[in-house]
Amino acid sequence: MENQEVESDFLRSVHALLRELDGHHPAFQSERGMLRWTLHKKIDRNPSNGAILIKILVKELERAERFNYHHYIIPLLHTLMYTMIKAPCIPDELYGRVYDFCKKLLTLPKPYCTIGLEYARQLKLERMMPGVLYQRMVSAEQSLKNNSFPYQEKVFMFADPDLLSVSVCQALIEEIKTAQMAQCARSCMLYVIERAFQTLLKEEQRDVRNLHSILQAMPLDVTELCFQQVMAAIEHTGRTVNVEYNQYVEEVRKIYTTLLSTSGEDVQKDEVERSSGIPLPNPRISFHLWKDEDQLWKELVLFLRSPSQSCEQDSLNPELDSFEFQDLLSEYDYCEHTRFSVLSNDSGIERDLAMPSNEICTAEAERSRLQRKGCMKKKGTSLDSLSFLQSGCSGQETKPTEKLHRKSGCSTMEPLAPMKRLHTARVLVLGDDRVLGRLAQAYYSLRKRESRRTFLTRRLKVEFYYVPVAEEQPTTSPAEEYALPDQTELCELAAYLGRADPWYESNINTLCHMIPKLATMPISPSKASASDLFITDVIAYYLRLGLQPVFFQVYAVKLFFSNATLEPAEDIFLIELNIMLEEFNPPSDSLPVKKKPTTEVPGTDLTLLYKKVLLSNREKDESVSVRSTGLIMKAIPSNEIEDLVCLSVNVAEVVKISNLSGRSYSLVTNTIRTRNIKLRSTEQRSFTVCLDKDSRRVYKNVISIEVFPCLEPSYCLQRTKNRQTSLQEEEDVGLAKYLPKSLLLPINTFAGIIQ
């Protein structure tokens, strides 16, 4: 009777979850995501009920596949797999049904076949070695040092202090600290050991219940040795094809027997049975206020150079261990304006150095020309080129086709054996569209550094996650002249991801206004437990299952100023470029004296040169002159019907109208779709340009701009090398034809783009 009540409760919760996906509860949109979190919390409190929930989820998945309810499949499958990781002792019959369902998904288009294949592989591994998904996840996320599974992961949470208030940042820090109170390395090792014994040693379940106190009473070195032995047994089974399941169980039983023999009998008799089960600790999160432009790159370098993270290291402390960046920074600064690499391609003899044409041989020029970086003549290895080939492809074909539709799907390519990356950095940014523009800048800078000297790419895999956060009153300086849009327009990319992936909309977009509310709630003294923390639990769920990236084109812009002495500025943007034309007030003496003054027409005459984007993948050169009061270039489509990788240029055009009372005008908005555009003011009147809605990225006194897709730095490097060694004008020769041409920023979601 008790199991029937539990099953009925789970069934009601799952049906409520499906109704939420259908949008049948518009009055509770602000609470979306709570149903999924509550459902998994029930498993945390009583893991033995996991098999009941999995049975219900399998039935609903089979029903969704039978009646073509495809929008249910991915949310239900993610919920099921997360339950399997949390709950031990799943019957083989359920494993078989889930595995067969995942194989059926291979006949469906992306992203169903991609997710189905990945989960089928995990299920096959879990069925061969029960508990391996849990143990590997905990070992990697907590960076537990062991020789058998050396993979390490770290979560970097970046918050822009200019966009988020101090109270919001402090509330996030407090919740992260609360979640990590009981997550030291020793506790996580105990969880892994207990989970292995609980999953495999079914005959000794009564003794396994006493294991927690046995391990707690042992010294740290004994716990570490036991953890190493358990992980070695698991990984040995995974690497050896001929090892049977019984041999794997016997190895774990030996470790368990040795552990019992070294423990005291009194500890086993006095132990009280634990009712809460073995928890799945949240990933360790390091919180960072994004103040330095190079902070992301420096943190990634520290992650590679530092030893394994442990509980003793405070991941929330901004004062990290000192690291000598002079070597890397100096070489980067030196190469910024001179060359791409520190590898010398010349003989080193002074007379063989290339002399630019029309160079005035002054003493200063001669001194700067003779300065050389200490380096040796060395032929670049193919390892550097291959690392770019792998890190830049982002899971797509090596040479991208000129398709208009946005790309999504699998993550980065599997590296080759000699270049296997053991570190994964999960970069999570909080904020609105403005912080994403900053992320695009940091990503471009990182790729540019790596094109000059490969340091991170060969050993580190970087994944990007985005949680929208919008406060009621954005924290802006009162002296700023640029008027910010309202809150709905400040989260355009999050709205697009919500339309592309409904599960992202239900679980992540709900945090947009929930996180600011967290800052206003009083801190309860009884909230010392990490069992009921909603924000960190949802973020952990997103980091673990949000593995399908959506790729966004980064655009470059070149700005020319009215002052001819100023060099043109170059920048990039991800979401929006806004052009505001300055009001023109002619002086009174310039008006004709004897003629009747005519109606003043607002705006400025502009000339637009662009390539029109068509659905046939053809491009048509266009040239148009308009009088406009301003225009906005949008890189994010407003709806999923016209999801094209192009710029939507909305021009506010001034149209003159003749009537009986005289000439007047009206404003008409026209839309142009293009990838490349040049804009120039024919009246030499300047205008203001704002990038990604960020008042900190405003350019004034601009008279002309050029916008085009930003090129991948590694592609530019190879193309430049080919031009130096060959007189041909062909761009795609050598390694350049295998590299992606455009720079795409991947943002991870649960499903990518659902067709």
Side-chain angles (χ1 to χ4, degrees):
M1 185 63 182
E2 182 179 354
N3 286 341
Q4 292 181 356
E5 293 178 357
V6 172
E7 184 174 354
S8 300
D9 180 51
F10 281 155
L11 188 61
R12 287 192 298 268
S13 299
V14 171
H15 287 170
L17 194 65
L18 298 180
R19 288 195 300 270
E20 181 186 84
L21 288 171
D22 291 332
H24 291 169
H25 300 288
F28 302 99
Q29 291 297 315
S30 61
E31 298 180 1
R32 297 184 68 179
M34 292 291 294
L35 293 176
R36 196 277 317 162
W37 179 76
T38 305
L39 189 62
H40 282 139
K41 278 301 171 183
K42 294 178 181 178
I43 300 301
D44 289 342
R45 297 186 183 97
N46 197 347
S48 60
N49 294 331
I52 300 175
L53 177 58
I54 291 174
K55 183 178 179 181
I56 294 173
L57 292 172
V58 171
K59 287 183 179 179
E60 294 297 330
L61 278 170
E62 294 170 346
R63 178 174 174 270
E65 190 266 339
R66 187 166 54 252
F67 293 101
N68 292 326
Y69 296 150
H70 286 174
H71 63 290
Y72 291 163
I73 291 179
I74 292 179
L76 286 174
L77 195 56
H78 282 319
T79 306
L80 186 149
M81 289 301 299
Y82 205 57
T83 305
M84 279 192 164
I85 295 174
K86 285 174 169 284
C89 305
I90 305 300
D92 290 340
E93 182 263 339
L94 287 180
Y95 274 122
R97 289 175 61 182
V98 179
Y99 182 74
D100 292 340
F101 180 82
C102 290
K103 289 195 298 184
K104 289 182 181 179
L105 294 182
L106 300 181
T107 61
L108 298 179
K110 289 183 177 181
Y112 302 101
C113 60
T114 305
I115 297 176
L117 178 62
E118 178 62 26
Y119 281 159
R121 290 172 176 171
Q122 293 184 17
L123 287 168
K124 186 176 181 180
L125 185 63
E126 179 72 15
R127 200 173 183 184
M128 182 177 64
M129 298 179 295
V132 65
L133 296 181
Y134 176 94
Q135 289 145 357
R136 285 184 172 182
M137 180 178 291
V138 174
S139 178
E141 289 179 349
Q142 307 299 327
S143 296
L144 301 179
K145 187 177 180 181
N146 65 92
N147 299 325
S148 304
F149 190 74
Y151 293 88
Q152 296 183 17
E153 298 177 2
K154 188 174 181 180
V155 180
F156 299 87
M157 181 183 289
F158 281 90
D160 195 330
D162 295 335
L163 305 182
L164 298 182
S165 62
V166 177
S167 59
V168 170
C169 295
Q170 189 62 35
L172 288 169
I173 292 176
E174 290 297 329
E175 179 149 344
I176 293 172
K177 283 184 177 180
T178 305
Q180 294 180 355
M181 278 183 179
Q183 292 182 199
C184 66
R186 179 187 176 88
S187 299
C188 295
M189 289 180 188
L190 296 182
Y191 297 153
V192 171
I193 298 169
E194 290 182 75
R195 182 61 179 267
F197 292 157
Q198 185 185 57
T199 306
L200 297 174
L201 306 181
K202 300 178 182 179
E203 299 177 358
E204 298 91 346
Q205 284 299 316
R206 180 175 298 178
D207 293 331
V208 170
R209 293 169 185 170
N210 301 325
L211 181 65
H212 182 73
S213 63
I214 297 175
L215 294 174
Q216 287 286 355
M218 288 185 175
L220 177 61
D221 56 346
V222 179
T223 305
E224 291 178 351
L225 177 61
C226 185
F227 169 75
Q228 294 279 356
Q229 293 173 346
V230 169
M231 292 298 298
I234 296 171
E235 298 305 321
H236 174 69
T237 306
R239 288 191 300 265
T240 308
V241 181
N242 297 327
V243 174
E244 298 181 356
Y245 172 75
N246 293 333
Q247 296 179 3
Y248 170 45
V249 175
E250 285 301 322
E251 288 188 28
V252 176
R253 183 176 281 113
K254 279 183 183 179
I255 301 172
Y256 176 69
T257 305
T258 305
L259 193 63
L260 287 181
S261 63
T262 57
S263 63
E265 295 294 333
D266 296 336
V267 178
Q268 300 181 41
K269 293 179 180 180
D270 297 338
E271 172 62 20
V272 179
E273 179 182 349
R274 292 197 305 161
S275 60
S276 59
I278 302 172
L280 177 62
N282 287 329
R284 296 191 62 83
I285 300 175
S286 61
F287 186 88
H288 305 275
L289 292 178
W290 206 345
K291 297 180 180 180
D292 186 6
E293 294 299 328
D294 298 327
Q295 189 173 356
L296 173 60
W297 179 76
K298 291 178 181 179
E299 294 296 338
L300 295 180
V301 173
L302 274 173
F303 176 43
L304 281 181
R305 288 297 183 97
S306 62
S308 299
Q309 305 297 317
S310 62
C311 64
E312 290 79 9
Q313 182 177 358
D314 185 8
S315 59
L316 300 174
N317 187 4
E319 300 296 333
L320 297 175
D321 296 335
S322 60
F323 176 77
E324 294 296 328
F325 291 101
Q326 285 79 4
D327 183 27
L328 295 175
L329 287 174
S330 61
E331 290 183 2
Y332 171 72
D333 295 336
Y334 175 81
C335 300
E336 182 67 26
H337 303 290
T338 56
R339 60 196 303 165
F340 284 101
S341 175
V342 297
L343 298 177
S344 176
N345 295 319
D346 55 64
S347 62
I349 304 174
E350 180 180 339
R351 65 170 178 266
D352 292 342
L353 295 178
M355 185 72 178
S357 59
N358 301 327
E359 181 178 356
I360 302 176
C361 295
T362 62
E364 183 179 356
E366 183 71 12
R367 186 166 56 253
S368 62
R369 184 173 69 88
L370 293 178
Q371 287 180 350
R372 293 174 51 84
K373 184 69 177 178
C375 57
M376 59 183 177
K377 186 176 181 180
K378 178 182 177 183
K379 184 179 179 181
T381 63
S382 60
L383 189 63
D384 296 337
S385 302
L386 285 175
S387 62
F388 283 111
L389 186 64
Q390 294 169 358
S391 64
C393 289
S394 298
Q396 307 299 321
E397 56 273 10
T398 53
K399 188 61 183 177
T401 58
E402 296 299 326
K403 292 185 178 180
L404 295 177
H405 292 283
R406 194 174 306 278
K407 294 178 180 179
S408 67
C410 56
S411 57
T412 54
M413 293 176 57
E414 276 298 319
L416 299 177
M419 294 161 42
K420 200 166 187 179
R421 288 169 285 189
L422 303 178
H423 294 73
T424 300
R426 305 189 189 276
V427 180
L428 175 70
V429 293
L430 300 173
D432 49 41
D433 291 341
R434 294 170 287 179
V435 76
L436 288 171
R438 190 170 185 180
L439 176 64
Q441 285 185 308
Y443 182 61
Y444 175 72
S445 176
L446 188 147
R447 295 295 303 164
K448 196 173 181 181
R449 287 175 184 267
E450 288 293 290
S451 68
R452 289 168 169 84
R453 177 184 178 186
T454 306
F455 180 75
L456 298 174
T457 308
R458 288 179 290 176
R459 294 181 291 171
L460 179 66
K461 180 180 178 181
V462 184
E463 298 179 348
F464 296 102
Y465 299 81
Y466 170 53
V467 173
V469 179
E471 299 190 67
E472 295 183 0
Q473 296 180 355
T475 56
T476 57
S477 173
E480 292 171 350
E481 299 179 4
Y482 174 68
L484 291 172
D486 56 28
Q487 293 181 13
T488 57
E489 295 181 354
L490 281 175
C491 295
E492 281 190 80
L493 192 138
Y496 170 80
L497 292 178
R499 294 191 302 268
D501 182 1
W503 202 229
Y504 182 91
E505 175 71 22
S506 295
N507 290 276
I508 305 304
N509 278 346
T510 53
L511 302 178
C512 182
H513 301 286
M514 191 172 297
I515 291 179
K517 288 181 180 178
L518 175 69
T520 60
M521 295 175 60
I523 300 177
S524 175
S526 60
K527 198 178 180 182
S529 173
S531 59
D532 295 325
L533 298 177
F534 178 74
I535 302 296
T536 52
D537 285 347
V538 174
I539 288 177
Y541 179 76
Y542 176 35
L543 294 169
R544 286 162 173 163
L545 301 185
L547 302 178
Q548 303 299 317
V550 178
F551 298 91
F552 293 93
Q553 173 67 60
V554 180
Y555 289 91
V557 56
K558 192 172 184 179
L559 306 103
F560 301 86
F561 301 97
S562 56
N563 187 354
T565 61
L566 296 177
E567 292 291 331
E570 295 182 0
D571 207 335
I572 62 173
F573 70 95
L574 180 69
I575 298 170
E576 177 185 294
L577 183 145
N578 191 355
I579 295 179
M580 296 155 288
L581 298 173
E582 299 176 0
E583 293 294 335
F584 179 63
N585 297 319
S588 58
D589 55 357
S590 65
L591 294 175
V593 178
K594 296 183 180 180
K595 292 183 179 180
K596 182 179 179 181
T598 58
T599 304
E600 181 184 347
V601 179
T604 303
D605 291 331
L606 302 176
T607 300
L608 306 178
L609 302 175
Y610 63 95
K611 289 183 178 292
K612 186 177 181 180
V613 168
L614 303 174
L615 288 175
S616 60
N617 285 342
R618 298 177 180 177
E619 293 182 345
K620 181 180 179 182
D621 291 332
E622 296 282 352
S623 177
V624 63
S625 296
V626 297
R627 188 169 186 86
S628 173
T629 58
L631 56 88
I632 298 177
M633 300 183 187
K634 296 278 190 180
I636 306 299
S638 58
N639 55 68
E640 61 272 13
I641 298 176
E642 299 179 353
D643 188 9
L644 305 179
V645 183
C646 64
L647 286 171
S648 297
V649 184
N650 301 318
V651 184
E653 184 179 358
V654 180
V655 179
K656 297 180 181 179
I657 301 174
S658 299
N659 49 34
L660 295 177
S661 61
R663 285 191 173 185
S664 61
Y665 62 89
S666 64
L667 294 177
V668 179
T669 302
N670 296 322
T671 301
I672 300 171
R673 289 181 177 85
T674 181
R675 285 199 189 97
N676 305 271
I677 186 171
K678 296 181 181 180
L679 182 146
R680 180 171 56 87
S681 173
T682 57
E683 301 176 0
Q684 296 298 315
R685 288 169 55 184
S686 61
F687 48 84
T688 303
V689 177
C690 180
L691 302 178
D692 285 329
K693 311 171 188 178
D694 197 340
S695 58
R696 298 167 298 181
R697 301 175 62 194
V698 174
Y699 295 88
K700 297 183 178 181
N701 300 323
V702 182
I703 61 170
S704 176
I705 65 169
E706 296 179 8
V707 180
F708 47 90
C710 183
L711 297 179
E712 167 66 37
S714 58
Y715 171 82
C716 296
L717 169 65
Q718 292 299 328
R719 188 179 62 175
T720 304
K721 286 184 176 180
N722 294 333
R723 285 181 176 179
Q724 292 175 353
T725 57
S726 176
L727 298 178
Q728 299 178 357
E729 294 296 329
E730 298 181 3
E731 293 184 359
D732 298 340
V733 295
L735 282 173
K737 62 183 179 181
Y738 298 105
L739 294 173
K741 187 173 182 180
S742 298
L743 181 65
L744 305 178
L745 176 65
I747 304 293
N748 277 17
T749 63
F750 294 100
I753 298 177
I754 297 181
Q755 305 294 336

